[in-house]
Amino acid sequence: MNINITALSRATVGTLTSVTFITIIAELSKPFKTILTNLSGHHWVSKGIISISLFVLLYLLLSKVLTDKADVQKETKYVIVTTILAGLALGLFFVWHFLTEA
Amino acid sequence: MVHPLIGIHAAIGELGVLAFLWVFVELLNPTEPRIKRAKIAAALGTLFFLASWVAGGYYYVTYYGPAVKPVIKSGPAPWAHGVVMEVKEHVFLFLPFLSALTTGLVYRYKNNLIKDAGARTSVLLLCALIVIVGLLMAGMGYIISTGARAALEGKIA
């Protein structure tokens, strides 16, 4: 079985983006954080379960929809830019959250 | 007493970083035997990050949350938890997926990595990204431990 690189890179981008949004929304919305906590007993564990499930699901779905004629450098650029932006977003958010919470 | 799981989590995570550094070095000037080794290193690196996730996650949920977090928050560097740990525990979640993608690329392109400069550059860039993020995790872990130590020293004094 050939690995569909387009689907794999898009699944990675989707998962990283979702983890970032879920994390920020959970910090801003107590009811959403409670839902995450109730899912597994701990909100961080739930984020892990959701991210693995989403990654697998996105890959399986996208590999059926997207043809694997990837421009691998373009796909890699998307992944790297997403990682940097998501990391910065989380960093800036938690600095802001800490300063405004105190 | 320092919980042994934190050492295991850090050590396995660093092995993951070293594995992707190994992939990077093998693919700087790839040959068939080097690509064979890079495939093993990438698969090992992904397994190390998954194991580090489990070890760190178990420690975080069962020990850090109830015992360490309140100590850091009551100490002189509450930001060590409020900012650094919060960022670390979430950015860490990126690593297993970046590793899976990189491993997927190495297994997909195999010996084509010798001629396909685009695919090779992509794998090299992703390896570099994984190494940088992995080292950031280690640095953040040091800051969090320092926050806990500073809080405990304050209690003794």
Side-chain angles (χ1 to χ4, degrees):
Chain A
M1 189 188 81
N2 252 349
I3 298 166
N4 185 324
I5 292 303
T6 315
L8 194 59
S9 68
R10 302 281 169 94
T12 306
V13 167
T15 306
L16 267 52
T17 310
S18 303
V19 165
T20 305
F21 274 110
I22 289 171
T23 300
I24 292 173
I25 293 167
E27 292 301 322
L28 296 174
S29 161
K30 282 257 184 284
F32 183 59
K33 197 167 187 173
T34 307
I35 292 170
L36 287 176
T37 305
N38 291 340
L39 212 66
S40 67
H42 197 288
H43 65 94
W44 185 78
V45 176
S46 299
K47 285 171 201 162
I49 294 167
I50 291 169
S51 60
I52 292 174
S53 312
L54 192 68
F55 182 73
V56 172
L57 199 73
L58 278 175
Y59 177 72
L60 292 175
L61 286 173
L62 291 173
S63 59
K64 288 192 192 309
V65 178
L66 298 169
T67 53
D68 189 26
K69 286 178 181 169
D71 176 347
V72 67
Q73 281 186 297
K74 199 171 81 181
E75 295 297 330
T76 305
K77 196 170 81 185
Y78 291 151
V79 172
I80 291 172
V81 169
T82 302
T83 306
I84 293 168
L85 289 180
L88 279 175
L90 286 169
L92 291 172
F93 172 77
F94 279 111
V95 169
W96 171 80
H97 194 249
F98 178 75
L99 292 174
T100 53
E101 203 181 35
Chain B
M1 192 192 125
V2 177
H3 200 291
L5 264 181
I6 193 63
I8 293 168
H9 159 68
I12 302 173
E14 290 312 306
L15 285 175
V17 169
L18 287 174
F20 280 97
L21 185 63
W22 179 12
V23 177
F24 183 90
V25 172
E26 295 286 7
L27 295 183
L28 280 173
N29 188 15
T31 58
E32 283 188 26
R34 286 174 187 164
I35 289 167
K36 210 173 182 177
R37 288 196 296 269
K39 283 166 74 178
I40 296 167
L44 279 174
T46 304
L47 289 175
F48 284 139
F49 281 130
L50 288 172
S52 182
W53 190 358
V54 173
Y58 186 77
Y59 165 78
Y60 174 70
V61 172
T62 60
Y63 188 76
Y64 177 89
V68 184
K69 180 175 148 182
V71 173
I72 298 176
K73 286 180 91 169
S74 67
W79 50 267
H81 172 80
V83 177
V84 182
M85 183 60 183
E86 292 286 5
V87 174
K88 181 181 186 284
E89 73 187 57
H90 293 104
V91 172
F92 177 85
L93 296 176
F94 297 175
L95 280 172
F97 303 106
L98 292 172
S99 310
L101 171 65
T102 309
T103 305
L105 280 170
V106 175
Y107 275 80
R108 165 66 200 275
Y109 285 96
K110 298 172 197 150
N111 292 335
N112 291 330
L113 287 166
I114 297 168
K115 285 182 182 168
D116 191 334
R120 191 169 67 245
T121 307
S122 295
V123 176
L124 289 172
L125 286 172
L126 285 168
C127 286
L129 182 70
I130 290 167
V131 170
I132 290 167
V133 174
L135 291 177
L136 274 174
M137 295 298 106
M140 287 174 160
Y142 169 75
I143 294 169
I144 296 156
S145 301
T146 304
R149 266 198 307 276
L152 290 172
E153 282 166 9
K155 284 187 196 300
I156 293 166

